[in-house]
Amino acid sequence: MSDLGRVLVLAGGLSHERDVSLRSGRRVADALRSVGVEVEQRDVDASLVERLREDPPDAVFPVLHGVTGEDGALRQVLDLYGVPYVGADAAACRTAFDKPVASTMVGAAGLQTPSSVVLGHETFRELGAAALMEAVIHQIGLPLVVKPARGGSALGASIVRSAEELPSAMVNCYAYGPVALIEQYIDGTEIAVTVVDTGDGPRALPAVEIRPDSGFYDYEARYTAGATQFVVPAQLGDGVAAACASAAVTAHEALGLRDLSRSDLVVDASGVPWFLEVNVAPGMTETSLVPLAAEAAGVELGVLCRDLLAAAAARC
């Protein structure tokens, strides 16, 4: 048996990504059990605080996605009760979860990021949606991408290829959050790079190349078996692969993350990786990218999760 003691996997929550989180939680819990870790998986509800206060676990593996899971709120609660956990602390989560802020910080660290405009719903509605959309297209050009400034799993995200498509894309985006991020569409190879740190510094796992059948890696393409082809390691030249790994580690460090993150990148025709966003609680389902990257690196998912928990526990 593991010497970690009792581990709590937190999954579920009330965000739009609840179902994905529950699937991630089951995968992580099963992987940990396979390497001898004593695991309890539970949802996040009103009884959690009492549990943390009266019978705290030795470590927590949070796999909640979306709001509360990745915005730092849950981790702030864990910090209040002195419970160690895998992943970035509350402050770093708040920064990374806000895509425009994260993009600014990563750009300042030297990575390529798409040009963008950020518009809150009230501003968009009250100052004249039609005129603002015209100005956005004039500044950024077409095609462009519209997505919520805070959120995950591509919920509310759209590729806009014509001016006529922009109004519905904005409506769809605002259904998932009050602030829209409208950014330049980067044509190229979509890549995801997982960064892990089990105590000896952050390192990148092999990049995963993403080839959605629909041409857009949206929610359905992410979580429907067979809807997307994943190539691991990504079919990149050695120099480009190294640049992608370096970009992901740079983003991880620039945002003050720890333990585990996954950066989403696009490699353009000249081989330059562009940073899109980072995930502080990446998916762990059967179609998720972190398990694929771990497998390509020759690391069992259970071993990786156990080592991440051990590193978190060692901080206390």
Side-chain angles (χ1 to χ4, degrees):
M1 297 293 287
S2 166
D3 58 1
L4 264 173
R6 296 177 302 119
V7 167
L8 185 61
V9 173
L10 291 177
L14 296 177
S15 80
H16 295 295
E17 298 170 74
R18 172 179 172 80
D19 289 344
V20 176
S21 175
L22 289 170
R23 289 165 56 188
S24 288
R26 285 192 294 269
R27 182 86 185 274
V28 169
D30 288 345
L32 286 167
R33 291 186 186 107
S34 74
V35 292
V37 178
E38 182 183 348
V39 180
E40 176 192 353
Q41 180 187 342
R42 64 165 294 157
D43 210 329
V44 176
D45 54 32
S47 67
L48 177 62
V49 167
E50 181 181 0
R51 168 65 191 283
L52 294 175
R53 185 178 64 238
E54 303 296 334
D55 185 25
D58 294 289
V60 170
F61 203 122
V63 279
L64 281 94
H65 310 315
V67 178
T68 72
E70 294 182 78
D71 68 355
L74 174 65
R75 297 166 197 234
Q76 192 77 80
V77 171
L78 296 173
D79 284 332
L80 282 173
Y81 289 96
V83 178
Y85 54 88
V86 170
D89 65 15
C93 285
R94 285 191 291 269
T95 300
F97 192 61
D98 191 311
K99 294 182 180 67
V101 172
S103 183
T104 298
M105 293 183 66
V106 169
L111 299 187
Q112 288 281 1
T113 60
S115 59
S116 64
V117 171
V118 180
L119 287 174
H121 188 203
E122 290 186 5
T123 300
F124 182 72
R125 184 184 66 240
E126 294 176 5
L127 297 188
L132 288 174
M133 287 189 289
E134 181 180 351
V136 163
I137 291 173
H138 177 74
Q139 177 168 316
I140 296 178
L142 291 169
L144 53 79
V145 177
V146 179
K147 57 188 176 184
R150 303 169 83 244
S153 292
L155 289 166
S158 307
I159 297 176
V160 174
R161 301 187 184 279
S162 68
E164 291 74 24
E165 295 174 350
L166 185 53
S168 62
M170 297 298 292
V171 170
N172 182 46
C173 177
Y174 287 132
Y176 288 94
V179 180
L181 171 61
I182 310 154
E183 63 185 13
Q184 171 191 9
Y185 174 78
I186 306 301
D187 190 24
T189 302
E190 194 161 356
I191 299 293
V193 181
T194 298
V195 174
V196 297
D197 184 353
T198 55
D200 52 359
R203 69 184 189 280
L205 300 184
V208 180
E209 183 176 342
I210 302 161
R211 300 178 180 177
D213 293 344
S214 66
F216 180 42
Y217 194 43
D218 58 9
Y219 185 89
E220 294 299 322
R222 288 166 190 251
Y223 301 113
T224 302
T228 298
Q229 179 186 0
F230 302 106
V231 180
V232 198
Q235 293 185 348
L236 304 169
D238 291 345
V240 175
C244 290
S246 176
V249 171
T250 296
H252 183 92
E253 294 179 327
L255 295 169
L257 306 181
R258 67 187 186 192
D259 299 341
L260 175 68
S261 71
R262 193 199 75 225
S263 285
D264 297 338
L265 312 169
V266 172
V267 178
D268 68 18
S270 61
V272 175
W274 292 66
F275 172 86
L276 301 181
E277 59 189 77
V278 70
N279 300 266
V280 299
M284 294 286 193
T285 73
E286 296 77 6
T287 57
S288 294
L289 308 179
V290 172
L292 290 174
E295 182 181 358
V299 179
E300 286 184 48
L301 182 61
V303 171
L304 175 60
C305 292
R306 182 196 64 198
D307 291 350
L308 289 169
L309 281 161
R315 286 195 287 267
C316 290

